[in-house]
Amino acid sequence: SSLKETHKLLIAGSLKDEGLALSDLVTSKGLNNNIIFLGYVKDSVLPTLYNACEAFVYPSLYEGFGLPVLEAMSCKIPVITSNTTSIPEITGPCAITINPNNIDELSFHLLSLLNNPDLKDEFGNKGYQRSLQFSWKLTTDKTIEFYNSLL
């Protein structure tokens, strides 16, 4: 299967080791017009990027909390992310979770999502609703509730 429309892949984050090798590969294959390495992106720019994208792909191998996933979900952007670490606890069934080491699985789900506007809308809306369950106020309230239960 292939994409019905042309898309650009934006890769954000500082480039080190494997990232530099990937950048070199993209250049050697002449794909710089379709795959763009943004480097480090300031927090103030992230909402613009989230809101301008068709999907947010985050195949993380190691994650503390998964804040980028939650940020994308709060912008109604469908998310494809890892089925490992703490991420599935954050996304619940409101994101497409994949084995981050399985390229075929990632490719299949990304093609499905980008070629199906209804699926994009479904996961964008489900993710947004899920993101509403997370806030600093809610975290503070739950922490106070927990401490009160200890007293």
Side-chain angles (χ1 to χ4, degrees), residues 68-79:
V69 170
L70 193 56
E71 289 171 337
M73 290 169 65
S74 72
C75 293
K76 292 189 178 182
I77 301 305
V79 171

Side-chain angles (χ1 to χ4, degrees), residues 43-115:
D43 288 344
S44 61
V45 176
L46 288 174
T48 302
L49 288 176
Y50 290 133
N51 283 291
C53 71
E54 296 289 323
F56 180 71
V57 180
Y58 197 72
S60 179
L61 297 172
Y62 172 79
E63 197 59 42
F65 179 72
L67 190 57
V69 170
L70 193 56
E71 289 171 337
M73 290 169 65
S74 72
C75 293
K76 292 189 178 182
I77 301 305
V79 171
I80 298 175
T81 191
S82 300
N83 61 6
T84 59
T85 69
S86 63
I87 294 175
E89 295 174 40
I90 295 165
T91 64
C94 302
I96 297 171
T97 55
I98 52 126
N99 174 343
N101 294 303
N102 188 326
I103 294 168
D104 293 334
E105 188 178 6
L106 172 57
S107 177
F108 171 81
H109 286 292
L110 185 56
L111 282 170
S112 297
L113 194 63
L114 292 177
N115 285 334

